[in-house]
Amino acid sequence: MSVIYPDTQLLINGSWRDGAMKRRSAVYDPATASVIGHYAMAEPADLEEAIQSAGTAFAPWRDAGAYARSGILRRAGVLLRERADQLAELITTEMGKPLIEARAEVMSSADLLDWFAGEGRRAYGQVIPARTPNVTQMVLKQPVGPVAAFTPWNFPMSQLVRKLGPALSVGCTVIAKPPEDTPASPAALARALLDAGLPAGVLNIVFGEPAQIADYLIPHPVIRKVSFTGSVPVGKQLAALAGKHMKRITMELGGHNPVIVCDDANVETAAAAVAGFKVRNAGQVCISPTRVLVQKGIYERFAAALAEHVGKVRVGSGLKPGTSMGPLVSERRLKAVSGMIEEAIQEGAHILASGEATPQPGFFHAPTILTGVSLSSRIQNDEPFGPVAILSPFDTIDEAITEANRLPYGLAAYAFTSSIRNSQRLQTELEVGMLAINHTLLGLPELPLGGVKDSGFGSEGGSEAIDSYLISKLVTQAAI
Ligand code: NAD
């Protein structure tokens, strides 16, 4: 690696520093399982300081104006693009994804910053016709206040941008707790924002014990909004805590995303798309396709094409040229994914395809396609969040829709069909926040991103993403 992996400190009121007790914890390279650096851990005193600094910075940032805030976000986007090669190496080193994917994450972070820079300038209110000519009635859109943002390790930079972009653009200040598994890339994003002119205190970054930090920040009266991306169980805990203290929430949680491949689909297009997306980021993507439901007329052909694609995946260090899939992020995740697969096999499932042997050491798992998986197996019910897909046949579209809607998750779904009738039924009946038909491209800045049911609440993309960082204040005024 040409980049030297940095230790990461806390960012409080514009200064990078250690926590009050100088506690540090290790960061691992998932491709070698070795310690590569450390991050500073925040104590309650540090959290209080971060909160006070976000509270003090709020009014000046709100009053700085949308145009000035937009300029800072855009400049940060320019800096990310200029630094893309170096930042991509940082992401790959601490997270594991192949360099090409890490670079794409940096570029998409810049793209998201551009989008939200524009959205802040379009935070329009309303003028409501009055009943009498001397009255003016307006709805003003104003920033909700300081935000507590919790982000995950799978896209350590862009997941944070999805929260910082809308929050900062409309005038909120933020205390972010990025992932402890991958602390350096979110810190590098914060550095780009500071270099672009973000004033001290507008963004504070803390690391430490996640539950302790959440328990301190969420009830605090200065914090007005909570945004979390991560697993359903943690999301429910944080949503309950936020509810208890009447805080607004955005919850972007997990999925167990179905793909419905109908007899009238283009088999090769569908198999290539599913295989390509399944191994992206080693399956550690909330919208990764997992339950692949294939109509019986094309099942054998689809299974053969999928197996062929999966057989070609080259697993290895993300820094090595030619690698198409890197390791999982941590030993914890490797054990979770392999445990679910082993359980399914003990319960009668078969491996249709799995990639070549994985390198050692490191947290690698071969991409795996399972067939004959019992609906009661854990992997059919809990999100695996790894490079594994379950292939199952179906007879009728009704059967596929019932299976797709069986779980409490409702994030993304995919379908491959040339029938408008099938497509219309899926659009109406699938219980998801996002549906892609005949391709898999979701997650662009201009598209809404979010789920229904247990997959969460709110949107982190598109024109609605800024809404949850704004309050509507009615002002009605009579000229006397
Ligand atoms: P997790 O929910 O335990 O952790 C996800 C993130 O939340 C981590 O960064 C962690 O530091 C943080 N976190 C954990 N407990 C917390 C708490 N009490 N308060 C505040 N933050 C907390 O999940 P994991 O085991 O690291 O990852 C696997 C699961 O996470 C998957 O099943 C998947 O559902 C989910 N996940 C989802 C996304 C997504 O994009 N929706 C991203 C990453 C992980």
Side-chain angles (χ1 to χ4, degrees):
M1 170 177 171
S2 52
V3 172
I4 295 168
Y5 186 83
D7 282 347
T8 303
Q9 292 179 299
L10 313 174
L11 174 63
I12 297 177
N13 203 16
S15 304
W16 294 97
R17 62 166 179 77
D18 288 334
M21 309 276 287
K22 309 252 179 267
R23 284 193 302 148
R24 295 185 341 151
S25 205
V27 184
Y28 293 83
D29 172 357
T32 60
S34 55
V35 173
I36 47 171
H38 293 84
Y39 63 87
M41 298 187 75
E43 312 299 335
D46 304 308
L47 300 177
E48 187 58 38
E49 221 181 299
I51 287 177
Q52 294 310 328
S53 110
T56 307
F58 173 62
W61 183 240
R62 176 197 62 201
D63 298 341
Y67 189 73
R69 290 192 295 265
S70 169
I72 292 173
L73 293 190
R74 276 188 202 287
R75 277 197 293 284
V78 169
L79 293 176
L80 291 190
R81 291 188 182 99
E82 282 173 13
R83 300 171 186 177
D85 289 339
Q86 189 191 352
L87 294 175
E89 278 194 42
L90 201 57
I91 292 176
T92 295
T93 303
E94 63 180 7
M95 196 274 146
K97 66 183 62 168
L99 265 181
I100 189 167
E101 289 186 32
R103 200 170 194 287
E105 181 177 344
V106 178
M107 298 314 260
S108 99
S109 298
D111 201 5
L112 281 159
L113 282 170
D114 283 351
W115 170 259
F116 288 118
E119 284 299 283
R121 293 171 67 182
R122 291 186 286 270
Y124 303 132
Q126 243 187 342
V127 176
I128 300 167
R131 296 185 177 202
T132 51
N134 66 329
V135 168
T136 312
Q137 303 172 141
M138 297 172 294
V139 178
L140 307 181
K141 294 287 180 178
Q142 297 182 334
V144 63
V147 174
F150 302 86
T151 58
W153 41 262
N154 58 340
F155 292 90
M157 187 170 286
S158 63
Q159 296 272 26
L160 185 54
V161 176
R162 284 192 181 276
K163 300 190 192 304
L164 296 185
L168 299 179
S169 74
V170 301
C172 294
T173 55
V174 180
I175 301 171
K177 193 212 73 62
E180 285 74 15
D181 287 316
T182 57
S185 18
L189 167 67
R191 237 170 244 117
L193 282 159
L194 294 177
D195 293 347
L198 195 74
V202 171
L203 170 62
N204 302 273
I205 303 257
V206 295
F207 300 97
E209 317 277 0
Q212 264 179 24
I213 294 177
D215 287 348
Y216 196 93
L217 296 185
I218 293 174
H220 201 290
V222 168
I223 298 296
R224 300 296 168 84
K225 171 168 171 85
V226 177
S227 182
F228 172 75
T229 300
S231 66
V232 172
V234 174
K236 284 184 173 175
Q237 278 172 34
L238 300 194
L241 186 59
K244 193 171 160 205
H245 295 274
M246 205 50 79
K247 303 292 167 81
R248 283 184 169 210
I249 53 166
T250 298
M251 291 281 148
E252 212 275 89
L253 308 179
H256 203 301
N257 310 300
V259 186
I260 296 175
V261 190
C262 299
D263 275 345
D264 54 23
N266 180 323
V267 171
E268 182 45 42
T269 302
V274 171
F277 198 176
K278 186 69 253 183
V279 301
R280 186 173 155 224
N281 207 10
Q284 302 165 117
V285 183
C286 56
I287 55 175
S288 187
T290 295
R291 287 175 294 149
V292 186
L293 313 171
V294 185
Q295 207 157 12
K296 283 189 175 149
I298 54 160
Y299 181 84
E300 295 304 333
R301 258 196 317 136
F302 181 89
L306 188 64
E308 194 185 332
H309 283 290
V310 167
K312 287 184 193 153
V313 174
R314 300 199 33 208
V315 181
S317 161
L319 293 172
K320 212 170 95 187
T323 292
S324 45
M325 194 182 95
L328 300 188
V329 73
S330 61
E331 190 172 19
R332 178 172 50 84
R333 292 303 312 152
L334 176 60
K335 282 185 177 154
V337 172
S338 53
M340 273 192 188
I341 294 174
E342 279 157 25
E343 248 177 72
I345 290 168
Q346 277 162 18
E347 289 159 1
H350 301 285
I351 293 184
L352 169 77
S354 101
E356 57 187 15
T358 57
Q360 294 296 328
F363 311 131
F364 294 97
H365 196 289
T368 305
I369 307 294
L370 296 174
T371 58
V373 186
S374 157
L375 280 189
S376 61
S377 275
R378 196 155 59 93
I379 203 165
Q380 284 275 28
N381 297 283
D382 292 352
E383 179 184 31
F385 218 62
V388 52
I390 304 163
L391 196 58
S392 312
F394 71 86
D395 266 320
T396 63
I397 190 86
D398 297 86
E399 215 184 282
I401 292 170
T402 302
E403 167 52 23
N405 290 340
R406 176 178 60 91
L407 297 179
Y409 298 99
L411 193 58
Y414 306 89
F416 291 85
T417 179
S418 54
S419 147
I420 290 179
R421 191 176 149 68
N422 281 346
S423 161
Q424 279 191 333
R425 282 205 57 193
L426 296 168
Q427 290 172 42
T428 308
E429 295 177 44
L430 287 179
E431 297 170 349
V432 290
M434 296 167 274
L435 169 62
I437 300 174
N438 293 327
H439 74 136
T440 56
L441 188 58
L442 297 170
L444 299 173
E446 58 273 27
L447 302 180
L449 184 108
V452 297
K453 295 162 69 180
D454 276 6
S455 292
F457 183 84
S459 182
E460 295 213 299
S463 55
E464 54 259 73
I466 58 168
D467 292 347
S468 56
Y469 293 89
L470 289 167
I471 57 161
S472 296
K473 183 185 285 176
L474 169 69
V475 177
T476 174
Q477 174 175 284
I480 50 166

